[in-house]
């Protein structure tokens, strides 16, 4: 049985593409199902992260 250290970041397939897109555009939007580590991936690759949790779409 494998044991994973939850504090250690595991590289994702998207990491290299994400780095390239951030260099080209400066900002990206990650979308997808809940619990797919989008926030963790963004925090690892980006300089800053803007979280829009709980914001009414009409306010944006």
């Amino acid at each position: 049985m494998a044991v994973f250290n939850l504090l250690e970041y595991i590289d994702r397939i998207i990491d290299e593409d994400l780095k390239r897109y951030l260099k080209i555009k400066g900002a990206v939007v990650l979308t997808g199902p809940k619990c797919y580590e989008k926030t963790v991936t963004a925090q690892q690759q980006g300089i800053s992260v803007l979280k829009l949790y709980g914001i009414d779409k009409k306010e944006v």
Side-chain angles (χ1 to χ4, degrees):
M1 184 164 126
V3 177
F4 296 99
N5 180 354
L6 297 178
L7 299 177
E8 184 178 324
Y9 180 73
I10 300 169
D11 290 339
R12 311 284 193 281
I13 294 171
I14 193 68
D15 285 346
E16 292 302 316
D17 288 338
L18 185 54
K19 286 179 192 176
R20 190 174 77 243
Y21 296 147
L22 285 169
K23 275 187 178 179
I24 294 168
K25 297 290 185 180
V28 296
V29 175
L30 299 178
T31 61
K34 292 174 80 171
C35 300
Y36 273 75
E37 300 297 331
K38 296 176 298 294
T39 302
V40 173
T41 300
Q43 290 171 334
Q44 292 295 316
Q45 303 303 325
I47 294 171
S48 61
V49 176
L50 175 62
K51 297 178 184 178
L52 300 176
Y53 300 128
I55 295 177
D56 187 358
K57 291 180 181 180
K58 294 176 185 177
E59 294 178 20
V60 177

